[in-house]
Amino acid sequence: MGTPGAAILAHIHAEAFAGGEIWDEDAIRTLLETGGVEALVVLDEADPVGFILYRRVLDEAEILTLAVRPEGRRAGAGHALVKSAAARLLDSGVGRAFLEVAVTNTAARALYERCRFLPCGTRRRYYADGGDALVLACDLRITSR
């Protein structure tokens, strides 16, 4: 999904991160205009229920955000987005991906663990609320299978 979809992605992000750090339409549009940044969207019939936004730099990538609407959770949308992004990245020559996840976000941490992301560091006070983030890394040749 390109820049015309920034409003839809911002709406999904607001629903997914209610009470947390929400990226507005301008922030998402700016990211989508940046080289190497792509978004994938998962649909329930014709309705977008989630998206993943990632950035490629040479042979590595960073998952910038993964957002799934509350009503779409626990139905495989997040897993499908991570697997699809991993496959696309691997096809484009990327071998390793990174992301940050809140230490307190047990659901997201479990998803990333199922997708074979492993802890490789911690960012203290990473989030605006002062919360810590775990840095996770994944060899995409493993997770895309």
Side-chain angles (χ1 to χ4, degrees), residues 12-57:
I12 294 169
H13 204 271
E15 287 185 37
F17 290 96
E21 286 187 53
I22 297 170
W23 296 1
D24 65 15
E25 182 179 347
D26 288 337
I28 291 174
R29 181 179 294 106
T30 298
L31 283 167
L32 289 169
E33 291 170 345
T34 304
V37 174
E38 294 183 10
L40 300 178
V41 176
V42 66
L43 304 174
D44 179 8
E45 298 192 19
D47 297 323
V49 295
F51 74 95
I52 190 167
L53 189 68
Y54 58 88
R55 171 179 29 221
R56 287 186 325 267
V57 178

Side-chain angles (χ1 to χ4, degrees), residues 49-97:
V49 295
F51 74 95
I52 190 167
L53 189 68
Y54 58 88
R55 171 179 29 221
R56 287 186 325 267
V57 178
L58 301 174
D59 64 343
E60 293 185 340
E62 177 185 13
I63 294 176
L64 301 170
T65 193
L66 171 66
V68 177
R69 290 182 161 145
E71 66 272 12
R73 293 180 183 156
R74 305 248 182 244
H79 189 263
L81 286 164
V82 173
K83 296 292 269 185
S84 293
R88 287 177 62 98
L89 288 164
L90 189 60
D91 286 347
S92 70
V94 173
R96 191 166 151 120

